[in-house]
Amino acid sequence: MVTLGILSAFSGDNINYLLGGLAITVGVSVISVIISLIVGSVIGIIQFEEMPYFSSFVGTINNIIRNLPLLLIIFFVYFALPRIGVHLPIFLATVIAMSTFESAMLAEIVRGGLASIDIGQFEGARANGLNNMETMWYIILPQAYKKMIPPIISQLISLVKDTSLASGIVLAEMTYRGQIVYAQNSTYIVPVLVMLTVVYFLLNYGLSLIAKWFDKKLA
């Protein structure tokens, strides 16, 4: 009887339902990654350039966000913003919260990557007539990103795992849907959790293999 209950957890309807949650998990992750890479790069460059007052201000805000729990940021975006008239769909609220948090984390990686480039690269570019923007775009960033790829991918792996926190605001991602499935029958708990474990492992292990491949390719 127990065996039948466990096997029924893998019914076509349950698997399709969980795969729908996987699509939402991947969607949130991909959109958040794109936004975070763009915003995080800009913030990291601003901090690295040490513009009077402005860089310090941006750096302070960035440090505050980095030291907040992601779940608190998700709750703030979804529950607090409506109090001032900003009502967001669950999916969009999750993307904004995760992009905000991940941008702050990636900004620090970008700043550190830029700081690792030898000062002679900057001086050589300027000696050849390149301005600051050209130096950064054509000379510094390509070298810095080669060094930053492994930690960036490591941070993106954390982002994929952190999408499960959005179940706290009832986003129908994979973890939340798993809870719905095993709420139907207590015998579903173990097989559903094992299934979620395998899927998350495959997603994140795939990203770690990509990181290793880039590391070897760019060595």
Side-chain angles (χ1 to χ4, degrees):
M1 195 71 176
V2 174
T3 303
L4 288 175
I6 292 174
L7 291 176
S8 64
F10 298 102
S11 67
D13 288 341
N14 286 344
I15 290 176
N16 287 334
Y17 185 66
L18 290 174
L19 288 177
L22 174 61
I24 293 175
T25 295
V26 172
V28 168
S29 299
V30 169
I31 296 172
S32 299
V33 163
I34 294 171
I35 295 173
S36 300
L37 284 173
I38 296 171
V39 176
S41 294
V42 172
I43 294 174
I45 292 171
I46 290 173
Q47 289 182 272
F48 174 76
E49 289 290 348
E50 297 182 351
M51 305 173 189
Y53 303 110
F54 185 59
S55 290
S56 297
F57 173 75
V58 171
T60 300
I61 299 298
N62 197 61
N63 284 330
I64 292 172
I65 294 173
R66 282 197 307 120
N67 288 287
L68 293 176
L70 175 56
L71 187 59
L72 177 63
I73 298 174
I74 293 174
F75 282 169
F76 180 84
V77 173
Y78 189 67
F79 293 116
L81 290 186
R83 298 293 181 179
I84 58 174
V86 181
H87 298 272
L88 299 170
I90 295 177
F91 186 91
L92 182 57
T94 303
V95 168
I96 290 175
M98 298 200 70
S99 298
T100 300
F101 182 76
E102 293 301 326
S103 293
M105 303 301 287
L106 290 175
E108 195 61 26
I109 294 174
V110 171
R111 187 200 63 75
L114 293 173
S116 70
I117 302 300
D118 188 85
I119 190 67
Q121 298 291 320
F122 294 88
E123 295 171 349
R126 286 163 185 162
N128 282 284
L130 298 181
N131 59 35
N132 284 346
M133 184 175 293
E134 290 171 336
T135 298
M136 185 63 68
W137 184 257
Y138 294 112
I139 307 298
I140 306 305
L141 282 177
Q143 296 180 67
Y145 272 115
K146 287 182 181 180
K147 298 182 178 183
M148 290 187 285
I149 284 175
I152 284 176
I153 293 182
S154 177
Q155 188 61 42
L156 299 185
I157 289 173
S158 296
L159 184 150
V160 173
K161 292 186 288 187
D162 288 343
T163 56
S164 61
L165 294 174
S167 62
I169 58 171
V170 202
L171 177 71
E173 46 76 56
M174 193 165 57
T175 300
Y176 179 78
R177 291 196 181 203
Q179 294 171 350
I180 296 297
V181 170
Y182 65 64
Q184 303 172 41
N185 189 325
S186 60
T187 59
Y188 289 0
I189 294 176
V190 173
V192 168
L193 291 178
V194 169
M195 191 186 312
L196 294 179
T197 300
V198 170
V199 173
Y200 275 115
F201 171 78
L202 291 176
L203 277 175
N204 293 313
Y205 185 64
L207 287 172
S208 68
L209 289 178
I210 292 173
K212 289 179 181 177
W213 181 82
F214 270 115
D215 205 19
K216 291 179 180 178
K217 192 78 173 175
L218 300 174

